[in-house]
Amino acid sequence: MTRESWGTRFGFIMATAGSAVGLGNIWRFPYTTGEEGGGAFLLIYLLFIMVFGLAVVMAELVVGRMTQRNPVGAFKRLGGGQWPLVGMMGVVAGFVILSFYIVVAGWTLAYVFLMAHGSLADASPANLEQVFGEFISNPIEPVLYAGIFMGLCALVVAHGIGSGIERASKIFMPILFLILIVLVVRSITLPGAEEGIRFFLIPDWDKVSTNTFTAAIGQAFFSLSLGMGALITYGSYMPKDHNLPADASMVVVLDTSVAILAGFAILPAVFAAGLSPGAGPGLTFITLPAVFAAIPGGQFFGILFFILLAIAALTSAVSLLEVVVAYFVDEHKMSRRKATIMVSLICFGLGIPSSLSLGVWDAKFMDKGFMDWMEYLSVNLMLPVGALFTALFVGWRLGPKAIKAITNEGTLPVPATGLWLFILRYLAPLGILWILISSLN
Ligand code: PHE
């Protein structure tokens, strides 16, 4: 059977940007920026994206395109030996991330309805904090929403690459950009918005600690969908004649722009409403509804915002699911349909304790609840380790062969291929290692 492939360049870029642009950009990035001191975090983040991000994006895509396989099969083909373990860790990471991702994504669906229903109007932050707290700690509702969300992802993935993932991304991503722009304009024209813009753009170096660097690199990898083979998988459906470096750059630019735009959509509005940006994960679910309750047309913009989040989450969750499904299809010869249903059900099952750990099941293991552990292990450990080995693999093991592959056998003029290998061989591994070690201390 011939492997499916992306229909058009636009389709590939929308799908891959769809994977990259997600809760990471719109929910996680603004609150992490708020917690880690604003502008200083932004600068460190941008530096990591430029130095490590693009290089590893290209590395993953090329491994996929060279092998036309899922991460495990790809490392098996090109590396053999113990290398498939790197792919396996990616498949596991994808599965773990998806299990809590659907929980948060479920909240965004619920909030579309809460907004539309007017239940979040005229509420004070204290009140909204209570609404949010009660919602996420409820043992049933958030679990149901996570299930609905998982079902939507399964529906897309079951339809395959061209008529499932590509088609959905081509419809949803342009809508996402449009909504985001509307929200940015609303936010930065609010009276008092300047203070938020200043917070976002002017670095305060006193707030920077080693933690800022760990947070920035974890965020960079998470946001670009790196370190777990999502881009290996998406690269595996990429036709050989596409300009891989150009497409990769486009995806990185789109992902970074969305994160920055999300910062502009959220932080100025938060300051304009006289609230604090350091609220952590609750920023988008507590602080923002308070903002929407306070501004003209707030309900409309609120609905738009949560639709935006839900769309971003869907196209990313789809890529997480696709990694695991591609693994079962390629390596275990399962049908796409069967693999999708099986993986979705098990993943939903693993999502339930995550959701419950925010309410009825509040057991803590070393200060972290179940969901915190899932996130910590996958995002702060598995993704950096996965990216580290992918960089080493492409830099050392493939080396010049990888350059041949990204230049389409030398027919494409690609600048700085030597620098690319240098980053993959030395800079990225050392940088990631340093940050991993300092975060474990
Ligand atoms: N990049 C996605 C986001 O920013 C999350 C993701 C991580 C998706 C890893 C796929 C793989 O939300």
Side-chain angles (χ1 to χ4, degrees):
M1 207 175 80
T2 58
R3 196 176 182 74
E4 264 201 272
S5 65
W6 306 107
T8 59
R9 175 176 184 225
F10 178 72
F12 167 74
I13 291 176
M14 286 302 110
T16 311
S19 166
V21 172
L23 293 173
N25 305 58
I26 301 166
W27 168 66
R28 210 167 180 280
F29 176 77
Y31 86 70
T32 313
T33 309
E35 287 177 330
E36 297 294 333
F41 176 82
L42 175 65
L43 273 185
I44 298 171
Y45 174 76
L46 289 178
L47 185 81
F48 284 163
I49 291 279
M50 285 186 299
V51 179
F52 305 139
L54 176 62
V56 182
V57 167
M58 283 168 51
E60 281 206 19
L61 287 176
V62 83
V63 166
R65 190 172 70 169
M66 284 167 87
T67 55
Q68 315 214 311
R69 282 287 175 286
N70 71 93
V72 176
F75 279 105
K76 227 186 250 173
R77 267 205 182 176
L78 288 174
Q82 303 299 314
W83 284 108
L85 284 177
V86 179
M88 202 58 227
M89 189 178 70
V91 174
V92 173
F95 187 78
V96 172
I97 295 175
L98 186 57
S99 75
F100 67 80
Y101 207 85
I102 57 168
V103 174
V104 181
W107 303 347
T108 71
L109 282 185
Y111 265 62
V112 173
F113 295 116
L114 287 178
M115 266 288 163
H117 196 249
S119 345
L120 303 170
D122 316 311
S124 65
N127 194 349
L128 288 163
E129 186 168 350
Q130 200 186 345
V131 172
F132 180 62
E134 271 167 18
F135 173 69
I136 64 171
S137 58
N138 182 308
I140 313 236
E141 263 183 68
V143 173
L144 287 182
Y145 278 107
I148 296 173
F149 190 84
M150 188 72 252
L152 290 174
C153 294
L155 204 67
V156 175
V157 171
H159 279 87
I161 299 308
S163 38
I165 300 178
E166 182 169 355
R167 195 165 57 161
S169 310
K170 282 202 298 204
I171 300 171
F172 284 138
M173 293 308 287
I175 300 180
L176 179 146
F177 284 109
L178 224 79
I179 298 182
L180 190 54
I181 307 262
V182 172
L183 291 171
V184 170
V185 172
R186 174 64 285 189
S187 168
I188 59 176
T189 52
L190 287 169
E194 310 80 45
E195 206 189 324
I197 300 177
R198 231 174 284 132
F199 171 81
F200 189 37
L201 295 184
I202 299 178
D204 176 359
W205 297 107
D206 291 343
K207 298 242 183 69
V208 174
S209 63
T210 14
N211 201 29
T212 317
F213 287 87
T214 326
I217 198 147
Q219 177 62 27
F221 287 134
F222 183 74
S223 187
L224 288 169
S225 303
L226 291 175
M228 41 110 0
L231 298 189
I232 295 182
T233 309
Y234 274 24
S236 78
Y237 304 113
M238 190 182 194
K240 298 263 188 217
D241 60 346
H242 276 205
N243 186 336
L244 188 150
D247 290 6
S249 312
M250 189 71 200
V251 169
V252 171
V253 167
L254 286 174
D255 183 64
T256 311
S257 316
V258 171
I260 294 176
L261 287 174
F264 279 116
I266 292 168
L267 296 168
V270 168
F271 277 85
L275 298 167
S276 142
L283 184 66
T284 27
F285 293 97
I286 299 166
T287 316
L288 268 192
V291 173
F292 292 128
I295 64 178
Q299 188 185 17
F300 170 73
F301 292 107
I303 296 174
L304 274 189
F305 176 79
F306 287 106
I307 293 179
L308 169 79
L309 261 182
I311 291 179
L314 182 69
T315 49
S316 296
V318 156
S319 73
L320 289 162
L321 179 58
E322 175 61 29
V323 172
V324 190
V325 166
Y327 164 73
F328 282 107
V329 170
D330 290 349
E331 305 300 310
H332 298 279
K333 307 286 168 254
M334 232 181 237
S335 76
R336 171 169 285 275
R337 225 182 119 112
K338 194 168 154 210
T340 306
I341 295 174
M342 181 191 82
V343 175
S344 302
L345 283 176
I346 303 177
C347 202
F348 173 60
L350 186 64
I352 296 175
S354 265
S355 184
L356 296 184
S357 74
L358 303 174
V360 289
W361 185 46
D362 56 3
K364 295 268 184 285
F365 317 92
M366 293 163 62
D367 258 7
K368 282 191 195 333
F370 186 81
M371 182 157 167
D372 296 332
W373 270 112
M374 293 288 108
E375 184 186 349
Y376 179 79
L377 290 177
S378 55
V379 177
N380 292 20
L381 290 176
M382 287 166 156
L383 295 192
V385 172
L388 170 74
F389 281 106
T390 309
L392 289 174
F393 182 76
V394 176
W396 293 102
R397 182 72 189 237
L398 299 181
K401 262 197 251 162
I403 293 188
K404 229 174 120 190
I406 59 161
T407 55
N408 298 356
E409 312 298 315
T411 58
L412 273 183
V414 177
T417 48
L419 178 64
W420 180 55
L421 274 198
F422 179 77
I423 292 176
L424 293 178
R425 284 182 172 171
Y426 304 101
L427 279 191
L430 288 175
I432 298 170
L433 210 59
W434 174 67
I435 284 160
L436 268 174
I437 292 172
S438 46
S439 78
L440 293 179
N441 287 330

